[in-house]
Amino acid sequence: MKVPLRLVLPGSPDIALSVYVKVKALGLRPEGCQARTATLARYLGVATATAGRGLTALSRPAGDGVVELRTERRTLPGGRGLSALRTTRPLRRNEPYVWLPVAAAEDLTARQLRAYALIAYAQVRGALLTESQLAGSLRHHSGRRAGMPLSTTAAGLIVDALAVSRWVTVDRRAEARGCHRLIAHDLVARLAPSSEADQDLSSGTALGILEQEDSSQAGEQSGSQAGEQSLANRESPRTDSLENERAAPSSAVGEVPVVTEARPGENRDELMSASVLGSGGLALRADGTKSAPAEVDTHPRRSLAENTGRYTGPQLSLSAQVYGVLEPVHWLLAKVDNVFVSRQIAREVGRQLRDGTLPERLHHRLTVRLRGTMIEEIRDPGRWILGAALPRWGCGLHDCESGVLWMTGTACEVCAEALHTKRVARQREQRREQGLCPEHGTRPGPSGECIDCHLDRATGGVPDPVMVPRPKDHTPRADCAGCGARIVLTGHLLDDGLCKPCRTMLAPPAAPAPEKLPTCSGHDGGTPCTRTAVPTRTVCVRHLAAELASV
């Protein structure tokens, strides 16, 4: 489908490009495009208001006065209104254009379709398109950054989404200077021709059975009911040749195969194949002749969403350290079915470990957060681990862990001061709502101020305390070699690097003092005796013998 390059370049809303492609495709029918706004929105998978914005943007004159879409209102003779007839502007002979498949407008979002069109145009022109250049051609359409280009990171996410949808192939670092090679695919690249008739289909000369994957899940494709199908998602060069008047219109242009609605248990593909082949099993060609169809593959196929939604890359492997840190939430991690989220969890743990967070601290944080959360409240395990369990709560101090210093176990003064400030502000707000004085909490008098405020004003008021900055402490600090606590290096700490409790526990036990034996209480000629007394007596052996001899 030929789309004017002016719609692909910045200047119009992204949804205008998707609406233009679908309206032009439906306009190839003999009756033209008569779809209502709600019908177009259902085909494109957007809201009705969004499709209406695209129609409005196309109906308004551009800066040079060109109007891309004409709308003709119609009414029956009886006064009953009909849906409007919409026609697109025919392209000029030398006007630049971009060839876009109609299926891309249904499979991709509006912004992804614009990015795909830019990639396809650069590919045809033979130019190298980088992600930064692609970001410069995509614009914000709402918010404070409306009209500004996207960031390179946002453009990279769009390219990744296009690669997942198989409309674009990304060869990483395949171009000069490490640039990515972006290869845009049309519908032919997604077909799987298996015979000469399928080759004719790939060249656009027949309307037969297409060997392609569905672009949406069952029950979500446009025109799911009989007689409500949109135009086929594939165009032939001969079909779109009316713009340059090179060939007469084909008899098969705009014809929609009538398909009987599949009943429960019937195969919709078989019904579609029978209706397209018609009688005799021959496919209708664009020139009115019939040709033998290709062999129909009756094997069930998976939809594009199912094929692209499963991760097929290398399995996630965690290091022993990261696995040990995540031990409290192993059962939650097993329920994460998104490989990207699992990798983000591993990267976040590795980042915090590289920033200096101890593994024991992370393990303790996960344990505390899990204990304080009801299990039924965890609806998405991956988002809970990333958003609630792993982030550090506290002030700007790296050692602060939810208002408690990790090394010492004491309350954080910065967090306590912040909580006090919030508590005072909340108390003042409550007093103001209750009609009390915000400062003292007393009822104001007839003059509008309370008695305490009146006394403060009469006495000159209490001066606010002067905030004196705390002097910087340049005392050398280090971690205790025994327990790891933060200590100040003074005195003995400069020698052994231990805190007082560790020094007391690690110091060798002192030798017991010798027991002092009692001395004799007797006298030798007026001089006190210095001999050791007998254990059961108060005198020594000699004085004890003298006492026994005298008895």
Side-chain angles (χ1 to χ4, degrees):
M1 178 67 62
K2 288 184 179 180
V3 178
L5 182 61
R6 58 191 301 159
L7 290 179
V8 178
L9 298 178
S12 61
D14 295 335
I15 188 61
L17 181 59
S18 301
V19 172
Y20 179 89
V21 173
K22 196 61 184 177
V23 170
K24 189 172 183 179
L26 295 174
L28 296 178
R29 289 177 169 180
E31 65 275 13
C33 178
Q34 301 180 12
R36 295 181 174 86
T37 305
T39 305
L40 292 174
R42 187 171 68 252
Y43 288 163
L44 299 176
V46 297
T48 305
T50 304
R53 286 196 298 269
L55 292 173
T56 303
L58 294 173
S59 302
R60 291 176 178 174
D64 53 358
V66 176
V67 179
E68 296 293 344
L69 183 65
R70 299 287 183 179
T71 302
E72 179 184 352
R73 305 295 178 181
R74 302 177 300 166
T75 307
L76 293 175
R80 180 183 178 185
L82 295 175
S83 59
L85 179 63
R86 298 181 174 90
T87 56
T88 57
R89 174 184 63 88
L91 273 68
R92 297 186 297 271
R93 183 175 298 275
N94 296 327
E95 182 176 358
Y97 65 89
V98 182
W99 187 278
L100 295 180
V102 181
E106 298 181 356
D107 288 351
L108 305 177
T109 63
R111 180 162 292 178
Q112 292 175 0
L113 181 63
R114 185 183 291 271
Y116 170 80
L118 292 171
I119 295 173
Y121 182 74
Q123 178 179 339
V124 173
R125 302 286 296 181
L128 175 61
L129 182 64
T130 62
E131 291 185 354
S132 59
Q133 294 173 349
L134 181 62
S137 300
L138 302 176
R139 295 288 188 270
H140 292 279
H141 296 290
S142 61
R144 294 180 299 176
R145 305 192 63 182
M148 300 177 61
L150 301 182
S151 62
T152 306
T153 303
L157 296 177
I158 295 176
V159 172
D160 294 341
L162 291 174
V164 171
S165 63
R166 295 187 180 181
W167 283 102
V168 172
T169 299
V170 182
D171 291 343
R172 306 288 179 179
R173 309 298 180 186
E175 295 292 345
R177 300 181 180 180
C179 297
H180 301 330
R181 179 186 300 164
L182 306 179
I183 304 175
H185 304 296
D186 54 7
L187 196 58
V188 177
R190 301 173 63 200
L191 299 178
S194 58
S195 63
E196 296 181 358
D198 291 334
Q199 296 293 342
D200 293 338
L201 291 174
S202 301
S203 61
T205 59
L207 297 175
I209 304 302
L210 298 182
E211 295 279 358
Q212 66 180 45
E213 296 176 340
D214 298 335
S215 59
S216 60
Q217 298 179 359
E220 296 183 359
Q221 61 269 30
S222 61
S224 59
Q225 302 297 328
E228 294 184 3
Q229 297 89 344
S230 62
L231 190 67
N233 292 343
R234 172 179 167 78
E235 292 79 37
S236 171
R238 298 186 61 183
T239 302
D240 202 34
S241 61
L242 291 174
E243 298 171 355
N244 297 331
E245 299 179 357
R246 295 194 302 265
S250 171
S251 58
V253 173
E255 294 184 1
V256 180
V258 179
V259 183
T260 304
E261 185 175 2
R263 298 183 179 87
E266 294 181 350
N267 191 347
R268 182 179 178 86
D269 295 337
E270 296 178 359
L271 295 176
M272 186 66 184
S273 302
S275 62
V276 174
L277 290 176
S279 60
L282 300 179
L284 179 64
R285 296 177 60 89
D287 53 3
T289 61
K290 294 183 178 181
S291 60
E295 182 181 356
V296 179
D297 186 8
T298 59
H299 296 284
R301 304 182 182 87
R302 296 178 178 177
S303 63
L304 178 62
E306 182 181 356
N307 287 338
T308 58
R310 184 181 296 113
Y311 178 76
T312 58
Q315 296 297 326
L316 175 65
S317 59
L318 301 177
S319 63
Q321 188 179 29
V322 174
Y323 186 80
V325 168
L326 295 174
E327 186 270 335
V329 293
H330 278 175
W331 65 279
L332 286 176
L333 194 62
K335 296 183 178 180
V336 179
D337 54 357
N338 192 322
V339 181
F340 173 77
V341 176
S342 302
R343 293 182 183 274
Q344 287 294 106
I345 295 174
R347 292 192 185 102
E348 178 62 21
V349 174
R351 183 192 64 81
Q352 296 192 26
L353 294 177
R354 289 192 302 270
D355 291 345
T357 305
L358 298 177
E360 297 81 4
R361 180 176 175 181
L362 270 178
H363 187 278
H364 174 76
R365 182 187 305 169
L366 294 174
T367 304
V368 172
R369 302 279 171 84
L370 186 61
R371 287 179 180 177
T373 306
M374 300 295 293
I375 301 302
E376 57 270 13
E377 295 179 358
I378 305 177
R379 301 180 179 180
D380 190 334
R383 294 181 61 183
W384 183 85
I385 295 175
L386 283 175
L390 285 178
R392 183 181 67 88
W393 295 348
C395 60
L397 298 178
H398 185 269
D399 196 34
C400 179
E401 185 70 30
S402 300
V404 178
L405 298 181
W406 172 256
M407 291 297 182
T408 60
T410 59
C412 178
E413 297 180 359
V414 179
C415 293
E417 183 177 356
L419 291 176
H420 176 71
T421 303
K422 293 181 180 179
R423 189 182 303 109
V424 171
R426 186 166 55 252
Q427 185 180 15
R428 289 182 178 180
E429 186 65 25
Q430 292 176 355
R431 290 175 176 177
R432 189 176 291 107
E433 293 177 355
Q434 297 173 1
L436 304 178
C437 176
E439 299 295 335
H440 304 94
T442 56
R443 183 73 60 181
S447 61
E449 60 180 2
C450 65
I451 185 63
D452 295 332
C453 293
H454 180 72
L455 293 176
D456 292 342
R457 185 170 56 85
T459 58
V462 180
D464 296 335
V466 181
M467 299 299 295
V468 179
R470 182 183 299 178
K472 295 184 178 180
D473 187 5
H474 300 284
T475 306
R477 301 174 183 271
D479 296 336
C480 176
C483 62
R486 196 71 173 173
I487 56 178
V488 179
L489 297 179
T490 58
H492 297 287
L493 299 179
L494 297 174
D495 300 332
D496 53 13
L498 298 176
C499 62
K500 185 176 180 180
C502 292
R503 187 182 300 106
T504 303
M505 291 185 298
L506 298 179
E515 184 180 0
K516 187 177 181 180
L517 300 177
T519 58
C520 179
S521 60
H523 293 79
D524 292 335
T527 304
C529 179
T530 59
R531 301 183 188 90
T532 302
V534 179
T536 59
R537 300 282 182 170
T538 60
V539 294
C540 61
V541 176
R542 181 175 296 182
H543 287 88
L544 179 61
E547 291 179 358
L548 294 176
S550 62
V551 175

